[in-house]
Amino acid sequence: MTKTIPPETQKRALELHDILNRANYQYYVMDAPELPDVEYDRCLRELQALEREYPQLVTGDSPTQRVGAEPLAAFTQVRHEMPMLSLDNAFSDEEMEDFDRRIRERLNSAEPVEYACEPKLDGIAVSLMYRNGILERAATRGDGTVGEDITMNVRTIYSVPLKLLASDVPAVLEVRGEIYMPKAGFAALNEKAREAGEKGFVNPRNAAAGSLRQLDPRITAQRPLELCVYSVGIVEGGELPARHSEILEQLNRWGFRINSEMAIAENIQACIEYHRRLGEKRPQLAYDIDGIVFKVNSIALQKRLGFVARAPRWATAYKFPAQEEMTELLDVEFQVGRTGAVTPVARLQPVFVGGVTVSNATLHNRDEIERLGVKIGDTVIIRRAGDVIPQVVSVVESRRPADARDIEFPSHCPVCDSPVEATPGEAVARCSGGLICSAQRKQAIKHFASRKAMDIDGLGDKLVEQMVDEGLLHSVSGLYHLSLEPLVALERMGEKSAQNLLDALERSKATTLPKFLYALGIREVGEATARNLARHFGQLEKLMQADTEALQQVEDVGPVVAHYVAEFFEQPHNLEEVAALQQAGVHWEDEVQEAGAQPLAGQTWVLTGKLETLSRSEAKDYLQRLGAKVAGSVSANTHTVVAGPGAGSKLNKARELDLPVLDEEGLMTMLREQGIEI
Ligand code: IVH
């Protein structure tokens, strides 16, 4: 007996139809997604759950029953003889185990199933039809049955073979894959668009879609698009191997790019492990992925398993936590940085995205606010990928409330009230107050004290703010004139921690020239530049006297950096500060000037795993002092890898490449031999 559908359930189902239909239209037809993928998935799953409970709800027009939406009219339509289907999703290890169990039940087998594992690229699915080895037609997926002919555009993509690399290919071969835009290409394209005063794209997927949808292939040709193939459709007049992974290898030999992360898993646990590992690697990949696709590797088993309405039973996409979410922009505040840059910061209704709860996101600068067209009260899409600071990527204009307010960029510094000035040729506006501005002073002192600079233990951000606000500290050099009594009088400061701070300050006086230079906070002078400057000039006095021409002799120093360095040492208050610091006892040994004299010059070292005696930054420091570069990843150019307990993929890679590997003991011996006292 069928249960009667409660009216509110019926209403909700129709509501979900509307949401999903609209999202499909925006996503597939307009290339302007309004709903983040997570929200879409949530709605779809809610609808699927309702339909499971009340099967009468399953109608032909339910969004659960269809694959996509109608193509735009401007391109010729193409009918896919073999439909291009979609994939079911999994969101947890348990759902992966369920997926595997269903497969084994259907196959009536207790044996583990072998799976092919592939990153799920976030691009546009395409079908490429080859006749006698020649690319005859390329089409988008469209609604799965009817797509658009984009042959002329696809021909402009270098990774698409126009002719296959072998003669023994099937007479008819349909190859399917994903066209996408790598992250770097996307960033460069958007940078160009911004320079030209254009809007740019919201994300790489949209950029790829927009690029393929160009009616003028010459425009497509200029876009950094790539193809990666992942399956075949129609095959006539030829045989393909019996396993999916072998088919891909065959395609690779015929001239197609396949994903280099592809792997075979012996069972579902290995799939789960692969998903975890790639999840960690995700931020470093050159392209966006939103999950991992797992496919039963045996084609014979795939055939036995078959399809359900929307997707094959033999494959699933295990999604990663969404990197994009929707939330409300509550307000915009303006922060003043170390160099006076005034940065608008979005205060958001807290939202869970990219694995953390986000309540602030940067809006970068005035141009960015204009580009986004964002107002206070808007619903916005937030993106947080890896460790990158959260960004506002777009505005959901259809949700703009009637009382949305324009964002007003301040003409005066919100902290010190000095005029905010726009620098010609720069997108940032800066507070003109310099060190009069307590915000800039606070940032300068925090930077000075930070670990890679003077490394003053116990001098946290809060304490700096407190001391500046209470009038205890007016400058960087003022740190070395602090005394116990006023410190103890500060809120939440005991005698012991005050004394600890004074001790740490005392210890910090013995430093190195590169650290001191970095600590000064000269614009554009990061750790590496500070090191190059120190090494080149050897002594601070020589550096201070150098003009921009002499400065440009330094490795990696161009006209801009040279200008900032020279300008810094021209300003009387900076010279006074440097003198005051030295007077207070800050000191260092002059640098060994000649790069050739350095024993590890030209070598690249990699540190991995846990170090037990040295801290990682100490080890790095010593190696750099001997002239080595310390890199984050292992390649054929790596000279030596130092591996401590818990070292993983980097150590494996080193072994694969047959590189020298030292343990911590070995490193210390080498350092001592080179005259470093540990
Ligand atoms: S297999 C019948 N493999 O994901 C199996 N799809 O929701 C169909 N995608 O539109 C797809 N990477 O564009 C497969 N390695 C991969 C993929 C992949 C990305 C996309 C594809 C499809 C969507 C399925």
Side-chain angles (χ1 to χ4, degrees), residues 300-373:
L301 293 187
Q302 285 188 3
K303 289 206 172 113
R304 271 176 61 196
L305 288 160
F307 297 82
V308 270
R310 213 177 138 244
R313 285 200 189 86
W314 42 263
T316 197
Y318 188 176
K319 294 291 202 72
F320 290 125
Q323 292 184 322
E324 288 184 12
E325 255 297 356
M326 210 162 55
T327 190
E328 195 192 328
L329 175 63
L330 302 176
D331 201 1
V332 173
E333 285 172 18
F334 293 86
Q335 278 181 356
V336 184
R338 181 160 58 84
T339 59
V342 178
T343 307
V345 177
R347 301 282 177 233
L348 306 163
Q349 183 64 41
V351 62
F352 191 72
V353 57
V356 296
T357 299
V358 167
S359 39
N360 302 314
T362 176
L363 281 164
H364 299 288
N365 52 49
R366 194 195 306 242
D367 290 357
E368 180 73 357
I369 292 177
E370 259 167 43
R371 190 183 70 82
L372 290 166

Side-chain angles (χ1 to χ4, degrees), residues 98-235:
D98 290 347
F99 161 72
D100 179 62
R101 187 158 17 82
R102 280 195 304 272
I103 285 179
R104 282 183 297 116
E105 273 168 15
R106 231 172 215 280
L107 295 174
N108 220 341
S109 154
E111 295 296 304
V113 176
E114 181 183 276
Y115 294 98
C117 322
E118 301 158 17
K120 185 169 184 292
L121 294 169
D122 211 2
I124 302 299
V126 289
S127 147
L128 306 174
M129 195 63 88
Y130 288 82
R131 200 172 291 274
N132 300 320
I134 308 282
L135 174 65
E136 186 181 74
R137 192 207 68 200
T140 61
R141 170 175 160 216
D143 67 359
T145 314
V146 179
E148 293 165 352
D149 189 323
I150 51 164
T151 313
M152 299 312 256
N153 288 342
V154 168
R155 281 206 177 119
T156 68
I157 300 169
Y158 283 95
S159 42
V160 174
L162 301 179
K163 180 169 187 253
L164 301 183
L165 299 178
S167 51
D168 62 335
V169 292
V172 178
L173 174 67
E174 182 192 5
V175 179
R176 292 174 176 182
E178 199 84 351
I179 290 180
Y180 64 98
M181 193 176 285
K183 292 179 196 167
F186 166 72
L189 181 67
N190 262 5
E191 185 61 37
K192 251 199 277 174
R194 274 172 212 188
E195 275 168 16
E198 292 159 13
K199 226 173 165 195
F201 290 100
V202 167
N203 56 37
R205 200 206 79 88
N206 266 32
S211 303
L212 281 179
R213 215 179 272 276
Q214 289 293 335
L215 285 167
D216 181 354
R218 286 172 304 184
I219 298 179
T220 312
Q222 288 161 18
R223 301 285 169 82
L225 295 173
E226 289 184 9
L227 167 76
C228 176
V229 303
Y230 52 66
S231 71
V232 292
I234 292 172
V235 183

Side-chain angles (χ1 to χ4, degrees), residues 391-408:
Q391 317 274 326
V392 176
V393 290
S394 61
V395 175
V396 186
E397 272 172 40
S398 59
R399 296 205 181 187
R400 174 164 291 163
D403 59 354
R405 284 184 291 130
D406 282 340
I407 298 166
E408 276 180 47

